[in-house]
């Protein structure tokens, strides 16, 4: 897949619908990190000035004709709503987002050292939880482990 061409098509699609309301476009996940495989989802980020239910419906209709639609996921949200997120979660969001258009710098300025420490702690807790939750039933666990 030609990611850059696909992103150009997606960008044109959302521009047609939302135009000046778009505050930010980005990509996250494995494609954003350059680690995508054939099975990877395409995690895009679309931030509007604000978000209404009608915006989600219009977005879903508009992107339905895009190639690889079945792989499209990600985050469609409102800027005004995002600034009220928990700052530790906001830190994670910013760190996993590669900008395509616009900037998240205004959001970054809201994050403190304590928010970052909380995000790291929460991430470690989530990893621990995932490991102990899955390990007893893992098909890779045998006597040699």
């Amino acid at each position: 897949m030609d990611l850059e061409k696909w992103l150009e098509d997606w960008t044109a699609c959302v521009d047609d619908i939302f135009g000046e309301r778009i505050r930010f476009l980005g990509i996250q996940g494995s494609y954003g990190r350059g680690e995508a495989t054939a099975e990877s989802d395409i995690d895009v980020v679309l931030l509007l000035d604000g978000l209404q239910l009608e915006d989600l419906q219009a977005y879903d209709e508009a992107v339905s004709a895009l190639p690889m639609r079945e792989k499209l996921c990600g985050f469609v949200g409102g800027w005004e709503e995002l600034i009220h997120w928990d700052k530790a979660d906001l830190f994670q969001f910013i760190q996993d987002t590669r900008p395509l258009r616009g900037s998240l710098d205004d959001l970054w300025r809201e994050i403190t050292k304590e928010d970052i420490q909380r995000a790291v702690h929460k991430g470690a807790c989530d990893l621990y939880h995932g490991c102990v939750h899955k390990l007893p039933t893992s098909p890779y666990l045998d006597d040699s482990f």
Side-chain angles (χ1 to χ4, degrees), residues 2-86:
D2 180 352
L3 178 64
E4 295 309 314
K5 170 68 171 117
W6 190 92
L7 288 171
E8 286 176 20
D9 293 344
W10 174 75
T11 299
C13 181
V14 296
D15 276 339
D16 286 346
I17 306 165
F18 300 112
E20 296 298 317
R21 293 188 54 212
I22 297 173
R23 291 281 309 261
F24 180 84
L25 299 175
I27 187 158
Q28 296 178 323
S30 58
Y31 277 103
R33 292 186 303 272
E35 303 169 352
T37 67
E39 292 80 35
S40 295
D41 292 331
I42 306 169
D43 300 293
V44 293
V45 176
L46 166 63
L47 296 178
L48 303 173
D49 51 3
L51 186 70
Q52 302 296 319
L53 178 59
E54 298 80 23
D55 296 328
L56 294 173
Q57 294 165 332
Y59 176 80
D60 186 51
E61 287 175 25
V63 300
S64 66
L66 285 175
M68 309 279 286
R69 169 60 180 107
E70 70 280 2
K71 292 189 172 280
L72 175 61
C73 63
F75 183 81
V76 177
W79 187 269
E80 290 302 315
E81 293 82 4
L82 197 63
I83 62 176
H84 299 289
W85 269 20
D86 178 84

